Each structure stands twice: as structure tokens, then as C-alpha cells.
Amino acid sequence: MSTARAERLVNLVLALLSTRQYLTAERIRGIVPGYGDAASDDAYFRMFERDKTELRELGIPLETGRNSAFDAIEGYRIARRDYELGEIDLAPDEAAAVALASRLWDSPELTGQAQGALVKLRAAGLEVDDQAPTVVEPRVRAEPAFGPLLAAVQNGQAVRFEYRRSGSPERIMRTLEPWGVVSWKARWYVVGHDRDRGATRCFRLSRVTGQVRPVGKPGAVQRPDGVNLLKLVSVTSDAEPAPVTTARLWVADGRAAGVRRRGTVIGRCAIDGEEGDLVEIGLYFPESAADWITAQGPDVVVLEPDVLAKTVQDRLEAVVARQGSGR
């Protein structure tokens, strides 16, 4: 979402919140900055229709109605009773964390949703700077099937897709009632009821080929109560075999909680006079592990294996070089 459009949406929300009357489209055009730049009436109405759709997709309760029985044209407003949440008070470091989180996803679908969340926070009066520079900016990459499968979960709708099993070039069509999409050991999985097998199954998203197509009506699929999706993925036969690489990392005291959760503390050691924990961790995909280890900055140092340590060091040096050049 462009900055100009985000600002226009925020201004539209504020205008519709500030009145108890229904505002007509023409009235909105005159009072909301950004709409006056439309080249023609048709261009404005197309812009306004897109913005209304965007607000509804963001979950903002946009009402339509007329102020009296004598009004010939419907107007719009946002009822505060339906829109307002409790007071949101973020400390500067918390606001910075929210801004960084909005830049985490390297996926068009989720990037749009993250930007939508920022629009809501700004409309609530919170200053969240999502353009602030960072030394290391992590990214969460999702497979092409991620967006359609997540949408199917949210819509409660079954899907069909081609799937390639591990070690086999054969592609099999599957029909799944999806319950959720989860990440397990650096890979994304969808969990649900496989109609073809009549049983619960987990599918790795990187093996989904072609398009994911919705089947049946939305709302027809419901996740059973008490289902632990991560547990199902961890015990499924389709999960990855034992780790192929064991890494030893130095982790600064009180830092890098995500790394600590993935590994096991096996001792203590000091680097350049700073004390920290010696953590051993099994890695399924060392190359992708280098990405999130690099994102920890100086809080984590790779001790073994040498190839992973060299990869992380190269990426840190590249980040420093980019910062030095102003890019």
C-alpha cells in the first residue's frame, strides 16, 4: 500500500468517525484530503469504491444509510460503538517492535495485511514509524500456496491442489478441509482433514504444485475443538527426518529468546569478555538458518560448523557495507 493511499484511508476513517450523520460520497470528496486529486468524477468514484472495500477487508464497520426519509442519496459513517477498542498505549520501544513486525513478511498477501494493521493503529492516534532504518531486517518467506491456503482456513472452505510426496516426482490431486497453517522447523505446513484418505493429514507447502482451488461453500469447514496443529505436524510421517547439521552458537545473556527455544543450553563461555550461553541446535536447512541467525546481530555468534559461521559473517559484513553506502 502506498503512503498516499494509507494516509487517505486514515483520513477517511477519521472523517467517518467524527460525525453522527451519514456523509454522502460527494461530501466525502470535499472534506477528505486526497480525493480532490482525482482527474474526473469516474476516477473519484472508482477510488472511493476501492477504499470502501479496503476498509471492510480491514474489519472496519462501515455503515450505509440515510439521515432522513427525505434524503434521496445514501451516505456513510463509522459508529464509534462498533469501532473503538480499549485504550492502546505503546511505549516507544513497543511501537518500534510493531513497526518492525509489519516489515517482517516477505509475501504480498501478508505485507498488505500488516500495512492494514498500521492503518488501524494510526487511526487510533498511535505514531508507528515503519520506515525507520534497521541494521538487520529479518524476513519471513512464505510459499506461493501460503496465501490461498490461509484464506481457505479463514473462510472455512475446502481446497484442491496437486501434491508431490518426498522422493517422488509423481503429483497427486488432494482435496483437503484445512484447519490451519503452521510453521515447523523452518517449513510451512497445512493441517486438515484429507477427504481422499478420510483422515487427518499434514502437507508441506513447498510440495504443493500449481494453483490451490477452493471447493464448496465458505463456512463449511470447521476446525475440531482441542486440535493441536503443531503436535500433529511434529508426529506426522510427512515431517522431515532427523537434523542433518548440528550447530554450536554463543548466545548473549538475556537475548535471542527465539534461538534459545530452538536449541539446548549445554554450557557457558565468554566472547570478547562478554558472558553468554553455549547453545547446541539441530538445523534442517543451514542456508535458511543463516538468515535468522544473521538477524540476531551481535547477540548470537556461530562457533560450529565453520561453513555456517562464514555464511553469517559474510551476510553481516554485507549489511554493514549497505548501511555505509546509505542504501
Side-chain angles (χ1 to χ4, degrees):
M1 183 185 300
S2 66
T3 301
R5 187 179 182 193
E7 291 178 352
R8 188 175 70 243
L9 287 174
V10 170
N11 290 327
L12 177 58
V13 169
L14 294 176
L16 296 177
L17 278 172
S18 64
T19 178
R20 294 183 179 180
Q21 301 292 315
Y22 291 100
L23 301 180
T24 65
E26 286 296 338
R27 176 61 176 157
I28 291 171
R29 183 180 186 179
I31 64 176
V32 175
Y35 288 131
D37 299 332
S40 64
D41 290 346
D42 288 342
Y44 161 66
F45 282 111
R46 287 195 300 270
M47 183 188 304
F48 184 49
E49 287 299 322
R50 287 196 299 269
D51 288 351
K52 286 192 299 179
T53 300
E54 184 76 25
L55 292 184
R56 292 189 172 106
E57 290 179 350
L58 289 171
I60 296 176
L62 189 64
E63 293 185 350
T64 59
R66 300 178 183 181
N67 295 314
S68 72
F70 301 100
D71 289 338
I73 302 176
E74 287 190 335
Y76 306 88
R77 71 180 183 186
I78 298 173
R80 287 185 175 271
R81 65 180 183 277
D82 298 327
Y83 177 82
E84 290 182 342
L85 301 174
E87 183 178 355
I88 302 175
D89 184 17
L90 296 180
D93 58 337
E94 293 172 327
V98 169
L100 182 59
S102 72
R103 296 154 60 175
L104 182 67
W105 290 97
D106 192 14
S107 168
E109 301 90 348
L110 296 175
T111 297
Q113 293 184 28
Q115 291 300 316
L118 291 183
V119 169
K120 289 184 178 181
L121 289 174
R122 287 170 179 151
L126 293 175
E127 291 296 329
V128 181
D129 184 8
D130 62 325
Q131 301 299 320
T134 59
V135 175
V136 177
E137 184 168 314
R139 290 286 184 179
V140 175
R141 294 177 174 85
E143 308 292 344
F146 184 97
L149 286 172
L150 184 61
V153 172
Q154 294 171 338
N155 295 332
Q157 193 170 17
V159 291
R160 284 177 60 83
F161 53 82
E162 286 187 340
Y163 188 74
R164 177 183 57 80
R165 288 186 57 84
S166 177
S168 173
E170 183 183 5
R171 299 177 181 180
I172 302 175
M173 185 65 68
R174 293 294 185 191
T175 303
L176 182 72
E177 297 176 3
W179 298 337
V181 178
V182 297
S183 177
W184 173 254
K185 295 184 176 179
R187 285 293 182 265
W188 290 102
Y189 294 83
V190 60
V191 185
H193 176 74
D194 187 340
R195 290 182 178 177
D196 302 298
R197 296 182 179 179
T200 300
R201 288 291 186 269
C202 306
F203 298 93
R204 209 172 87 180
L205 267 59
S206 62
R207 296 189 187 137
V208 174
T209 62
Q211 292 186 341
V212 177
R213 302 183 183 278
V215 177
K217 297 181 179 180
V221 176
Q222 294 185 351
R223 174 177 166 180
D225 295 333
V227 171
N228 187 324
L229 300 180
L230 278 176
K231 184 176 181 180
L232 287 172
V233 172
S234 67
V235 301
T236 181
S237 60
D238 189 50
E240 293 297 326
V244 297
T245 302
T246 299
R248 287 193 175 189
L249 314 173
W250 174 86
V251 182
D253 287 338
R255 309 304 296 270
V259 174
R260 295 174 183 275
R261 285 195 299 269
R262 292 178 181 226
T264 302
V265 177
I266 61 173
R268 299 276 296 172
C269 67
I271 291 183
D272 294 334
E274 184 175 353
E275 293 291 332
D277 289 324
L278 184 61
V279 176
E280 195 170 79
I281 183 170
L283 300 177
Y284 290 81
F285 310 100
E287 183 176 352
S288 61
D291 292 334
W292 59 264
I293 291 175
T294 302
Q296 309 301 320
D299 297 332
V300 175
V301 176
V302 180
L303 304 178
E304 297 177 7
D306 291 340
V307 63
L308 180 60
K310 183 64 166 59
T311 301
V312 172
Q313 182 64 30
D314 289 345
R315 296 186 185 187
L316 285 171
E317 291 176 355
V319 170
V320 173
R322 286 197 298 269
Q323 292 291 322
S325 64
R327 288 186 296 176

